[in-house]
Amino acid sequence: VLCRQLGVAEDYLRDRVQTVFLNGKAVDDENTAVVNDGSRLALSASMPGLVGATMRKGGFFSGLRANISHKKPAEAEASKSDAFITIKLFNMIALEIGPIFLNQGIIVKGNQLQALWDGLSDEFWQKITSAKLDDKPLDPEQIKTNVWDAPFVGLRVSSVAS
């Protein structure tokens, strides 16, 4: 899912993403993990300490977490239709591949989007040069003042200036 459908480079997933959780279970081999509608994925670069060493995919201490590790079901089959999955990106992973997801478009709860907007600095808002709502031009100032009370909002960021 991450590489073939969402555009994450295979070498990035293999080498940089050190910890993967699928539905709360540590994953040692992404190729055996089946993602279906409603699945939750969490991705992280290496984490410090014993917890990081234990949760690292295929790590030396991974045997210590055998009871909470993902195991491929005997009859696992991925969903053949569209699915909604939750992806959580932690630490440097969020900065490095977050833009891939934002560019493709994400769905976020309206109240969470509103909380995000409310907490952004004026410096952030000054960097927005154009916006659209339902493919119609929108004054960027209106994004800030709109109340996002819909249950879900589709959001796509077409470019990120550093």
Side-chain angles (χ1 to χ4, degrees):
V1 168
L2 290 169
C3 299
R4 292 187 193 119
Q5 295 177 342
L6 298 176
V8 175
E10 288 184 29
D11 60 336
Y12 182 88
L13 182 61
R14 181 186 64 242
D15 300 334
R16 182 73 167 133
V17 177
Q18 294 297 307
T19 305
V20 177
F21 282 93
L22 174 60
N23 298 324
K25 297 196 176 277
V27 174
D28 286 305
D29 181 0
E30 301 92 353
N31 294 316
T32 66
V34 178
V35 177
N36 288 303
D37 189 32
S39 290
R40 298 173 324 279
L41 275 174
L43 309 175
S44 174
S46 39
M47 298 183 294
L50 182 59
V51 172
T54 304
M55 294 303 167
R56 185 171 297 124
K57 61 185 179 184
F60 180 77
F61 296 108
S62 63
L64 296 174
R65 61 167 163 74
N67 290 338
I68 61 166
S69 293
H70 175 270
K71 292 172 183 53
K72 182 180 178 184
E75 297 290 322
E77 187 173 317
S79 175
K80 302 275 190 247
S81 62
D82 290 340
F84 282 99
I85 61 174
T86 300
I87 300 176
K88 295 181 180 185
L89 306 176
F90 293 94
N91 51 42
M92 294 306 293
I93 302 298
L95 294 173
E96 293 169 356
I97 65 172
I100 293 171
F101 298 110
L102 289 172
N103 186 268
Q104 291 181 48
I106 62 171
I107 296 174
V108 63
K109 291 180 180 177
N111 61 351
Q112 291 176 340
L113 181 61
Q114 185 67 50
L116 172 69
W117 283 167
D118 292 345
L120 294 172
S121 68
D122 288 337
E123 180 183 345
F124 171 86
W125 290 108
Q126 290 169 1
K127 291 181 181 180
I128 297 179
T129 57
S130 66
K132 290 182 181 180
L133 180 62
D134 296 328
D135 282 331
K136 296 177 185 137
L138 178 70
D139 180 347
E141 188 67 26
Q142 290 178 287
I143 297 172
K144 193 161 69 169
T145 59
N146 192 29
V147 176
W148 301 98
D149 59 1
F152 294 96
V153 176
L155 176 68
R156 188 171 72 85
V157 177
S158 28
S159 67
V160 178
S162 49

